[in-house]
Amino acid sequence: MRMRINEEFMRKYLLSLFLCVLGFSSLFAAEQEIRLTLPALTSSQIQDLLDGKIIDGDTIEGGKITQFFAKGTEAYDRAAIAEQSTNGFSIAAVSYIPYGPELKAMSTEDRQLAIFNKIRAISTQEGITYISWRAGNKPKILIEKSSYMEDGKNLNNLLPDPVATTFPYSVQSYVYQRDSSFGGNRYLHTYTNSDREIFVEIMNISTLRVFGIFTAVPKEQLHISMGTYQMEDGLLLCALTTIEDREPEVGILGITVDLPSAFMRRIKALQNWFVDQLATIETK
C-alpha cells in the first residue's frame, strides 16, 4: 500500500516538476525574444511586459520613444520621425501578449489574417471604458458609436465591419466614432502591413472639439497609430499618438485638458479591447 502511495506521489511530483520546467522555459524564451526585439528596454521594463503590463513614454521635453518599437518596422520608422519633430508631441506604449492555444496552432500567415480581421472589427469597440479623471478616476464609457463609412463625408450609410479572406498589405477605410470626450468625429484608417507587422494610422478628418464647441485638435493634426508585430511565442502590441501644432495642455473655460494623459488613457483602453478581441479567435 505504501509503495502504491509513493508511486502515485512521485508520478504527480514529476508531472508538476515537468510543467514548472516547461513554464519556466517558455517564460525564459519569451524574455529573450523581447530582449532581442526591443534591446533598449531595461530588465524591469521587460519584466513588466512579461507581467502583462503596458509600458509607455513620450517625446515631451526631449523624451525618447523608439525603444518601444521593433527596428525595421513601419512603427519604428514613424516613431523615429516623431522623436525628431519639434512641432507638437508624441506618446507611445507597448505591451506583450502571449499566444493562446488557437493562435499558437496557426501558421504565421493564418495568424496574420486572423489578427488583421480582429483589428478591423471596430464595431466591437462600442461600450469600451477608460479611467476618467473628470469622473473621479472611475471607469467611464469611451466609445459610444463605432462604424465604417462609405466615404469621408456620408454618415447616412454606415457599413458593417469588413472581413478579409486574404491578407492585404495596404488598405484605407473611413470610420465614424462618437466618444464621450470629443463627440462624433470622422477618421481615415490607413494600413501599411508586412508579413509580420500590421500597422494602422488613424487620422482625424474632422476637428476634435471639447464640449462640442472648443477646438482641441484641428482636423488632420491627430495621428493615432496601432501596430502588432508577430514573434515566435507572442505578439507585441504598440501604439503611437502624435499631435501636431499643439501644446500638451489646453485651457478651456478654466478647465485644463491634459492631452497626453487623455490620449494615453484612450490608448490603454484600445489595447485592452484588442487583448479581449484576440481571446475570441478560434482555429478553423
Side-chain angles (χ1 to χ4, degrees), residues 31-61:
E31 178 184 352
Q32 292 303 107
E33 190 170 30
I34 294 172
R35 194 178 299 279
L36 288 173
T37 306
L38 303 176
L41 294 186
T42 65
S43 295
S44 62
Q45 286 176 319
I46 292 174
Q47 187 59 53
D48 282 345
L49 291 179
L50 293 172
D51 290 340
K53 298 177 182 178
I54 298 172
I55 60 174
D56 58 73
D58 58 59
T59 62
I60 299 170
E61 296 182 353

Side-chain angles (χ1 to χ4, degrees), residues 11 60 70 74 76 133 154 157 203 208 220 236 253 273:
R11 186 184 67 80
I60 299 170
E74 183 73 18
Y76 181 92
W133 177 77
N154 185 10
N157 189 20
M203 180 179 69
L208 273 63
E220 299 183 0
L236 287 179
L253 296 179
W273 158 79

Side-chain angles (χ1 to χ4, degrees), residues 13-27:
Y13 172 75
L14 291 174
L15 178 60
S16 299
L17 183 62
F18 172 75
L19 292 175
C20 287
V21 171
L22 186 63
F24 179 79
S25 177
S26 298
L27 190 63

Side-chain angles (χ1 to χ4, degrees), residues 192-258:
T192 305
N193 301 330
S194 68
D195 290 339
R196 288 190 174 271
E197 181 188 20
I198 297 172
F199 181 86
V200 56
E201 180 187 58
I202 302 167
M203 180 179 69
N204 64 317
I205 54 176
S206 60
T207 298
L208 273 63
R209 303 181 188 278
V210 179
F211 306 131
I213 302 173
F214 303 99
T215 297
V217 184
K219 66 178 181 178
E220 299 183 0
Q221 290 188 6
L222 169 67
H223 301 269
I224 300 177
S225 301
M226 188 172 178
T228 61
Y229 182 73
Q230 281 199 54
M231 299 194 299
E232 187 67 27
D233 296 310
L235 196 68
L236 287 179
L237 176 61
C238 60
L240 172 67
T241 297
T242 297
I243 299 178
E244 301 172 355
D245 293 326
R246 264 294 187 259
E247 293 296 321
E249 292 186 348
V250 178
I252 300 170
L253 296 179
I255 299 174
T256 299
V257 178
D258 187 292

